[in-house]
Every structure is written in C-alpha cells, then in structure tokens.
Amino acid sequence: MLEIREVMPRVCVRNSGYFWTLTIAACALIVLGDLYAIFVYAPVEAQMGIVQKIFYIHVPSAYAMYIGFITCGICSAMYLVRPRATWNALALAAGEVGLLFCVVVLITGPLWARKAWGVYWTWDPRLTTTLLAGMVFAAYWILRGLSGAGEVEHRFAAALAVLGVLDLPIIHYSVQKWRGTHPAVITGKGGGLHPEMRPALIISFLAFSLLVVLLIRARSRLEGLQNRLARLNEDMDDL
C-alpha cells in the first residue's frame, strides 16, 4: 500500500505533464492554422479592405477577456468565502490574463473604428463599458501588486473583482439596449458574415480559448511557486 501511494502521485503528475504538453502543441498548431485562415483563406472585405481582418483578432480577444475576468470573479468570490492560496493564485492569474486581452481589445478596436467610423474613439456604450471593465481590473491588478500586500489587501481586491464582473453583462447587452455605434455582427444584426469568413472566425475562437486557458494555468503555477518560495524564505529567516 505504501508503494502504491508513492507511485500514484508521480503517475498523475507525469500524465498531467503530457496532457498540458499536448495541449500547448495543439494550441500552437491551431494558431498557425488560424493565421493561414485569416490572411490567406478569408476573403478581403469589399468596403474596409485588409483592415477588416482585425475583426478575427478583436472579437476573439473580447471573448478571451470575458473568460479571464469571469474566472477572476468566480475565484475571488471563492476566496472571500474560503480563503485559500489556490483561489487567490487563480484569481490573480485570470485577472492579469483577462486584462491583457482587454488591452488587445482596446487597441484593435480603435484601429478598426478609424476605418469604419472615421475616428479612433467614440463614447459608444460598448466601448465605454469595456473601458470601465479594464479600469476596474487594472485597479485590481495594481492593488494585488502592491509591495507588502497582505490578507486585507487581497480580500479588498477580491471584492473589487467581483464588482468588476457585474459590468460584463452590461458590455454584452449594451448594443441591444442602447443602440450605439458598435455593430452586433455575431448576432446577425450587423449584417452577418460571408460564409468564407466564418471558418477563420471559428478557428480564432478556438485558438484564443486554448490560449487563455494555457496562460491562466501558467501564471497561476508561477504565482504558486512564488508563494512557496516566499514561505521558504520566511522559514529560513526564523531559523
């Protein structure tokens, strides 16, 4: 029984390593296929030209942003209920990754808007609420990154993340509720997509979904290792 208990964790760790290695390889292949689908297979849009291809990065980035922020909010809520280092590390990782994709959204959006609307920015409801979400989670990230941040700061940041998630449904439904300038292409209200554009968009969604999961896992593991190293240093100081 002792031998089985010793061997089983090693087998699980090894199998987990193989799984994530295969997932990374699959993600890399899908990203390469996505680049081909975007720049070779997908047709050039008649009115916007090559600029329209930003669409295949902009929309999946918003989807990845949702995944990151929602994961951060859920893990933060769990941390408030049952304070554990695992929930704390996952919340931080998801918040940072979600903020990264939010920045991508806020960069690619104005580039697309300049061609479509003639201006880089307009205070459209969806743009404004997306910027608000980015500011909330930027504040979360800054608060978590403060030197000497302890339990009180972590719990305050967790509450802030939970509040930030409440803005996400407003972002999603802002086009339908307030009829801003931003189109709703995915729902068909923006005129729909040409059939030859759909494969590139579907592959982009798949690629970004895998990418956001891998980034959250890598960042949470790094945070866990940093916390373990900090505890070891504290134990060494006490000796």
Side-chain angles (χ1 to χ4, degrees):
M1 293 297 294
L2 291 175
E3 292 181 358
I4 293 176
R5 290 179 182 179
E6 291 178 357
V7 172
M8 285 299 292
R10 297 178 184 178
V11 173
C12 293
V13 170
R14 185 178 301 173
N15 290 338
S16 177
Y18 289 151
F19 171 77
W20 287 109
T21 300
L22 291 175
T23 304
I24 292 172
C27 183
L29 291 175
I30 293 173
V31 168
L32 291 176
D34 188 32
L35 293 175
Y36 174 84
I38 292 172
F39 295 104
V40 178
Y41 178 80
V44 176
E45 207 272 335
Q47 296 181 352
M48 295 189 62
I50 195 70
V51 177
Q52 184 271 339
K53 293 184 182 292
I54 295 176
F55 172 82
Y56 304 110
I57 305 297
H58 178 72
V59 177
S61 293
Y63 176 71
M65 177 191 74
Y66 283 139
I67 294 176
F69 287 167
I70 291 173
T71 304
C72 178
I74 293 174
C75 293
S76 295
M78 294 298 296
Y79 179 75
L80 290 173
V81 175
R82 299 187 64 182
R84 290 185 177 180
T86 303
W87 295 122
N88 205 23
L90 277 173
L92 176 61
E96 288 186 354
V97 173
L99 184 60
L100 171 64
F101 283 104
C102 182
V103 171
V104 175
V105 170
L106 293 174
I107 291 175
T108 56
L111 293 176
W112 188 11
R114 181 65 177 85
K115 179 68 174 179
W117 306 334
V119 294
Y120 287 106
W121 184 267
T122 179
W123 293 102
D124 174 86
R126 174 162 288 185
L127 274 65
T128 304
T129 50
T130 302
L131 178 61
L132 176 61
M135 293 173 65
V136 170
F137 282 92
Y140 167 85
W141 176 62
I142 293 172
L143 185 59
R144 287 295 306 269
L146 291 176
S147 60
E151 179 69 15
V152 175
E153 289 81 2
H154 289 174
R155 293 182 68 84
F156 184 81
L160 184 62
V162 173
L163 290 176
V165 171
L166 299 179
D167 181 51
L168 301 184
I170 300 176
I171 296 175
H172 184 73
Y173 292 106
S174 59
V175 175
Q176 291 85 352
K177 294 296 183 181
W178 293 301
R179 297 182 181 179
T181 309
H182 195 287
V185 179
I186 302 301
T187 63
K189 294 182 180 180
L193 286 176
H194 190 279
E196 294 184 7
M197 294 180 177
R198 291 173 185 168
L201 182 61
I202 293 172
I203 297 174
S204 292
F205 273 116
L206 180 59
F208 277 73
S209 298
L210 285 175
L211 186 59
V212 71
V213 170
L214 290 172
L215 287 175
I216 291 175
R217 177 182 182 270
R219 182 62 184 91
S220 63
R221 284 174 60 87
L222 176 60
E223 182 66 16
L225 292 174
Q226 289 176 340
N227 291 336
R228 187 179 303 176
L229 179 60
R231 289 193 298 268
L232 289 175
N233 289 333
E234 291 177 358
D235 294 339
M236 291 295 293
D237 292 338
D238 293 337
L239 295 178

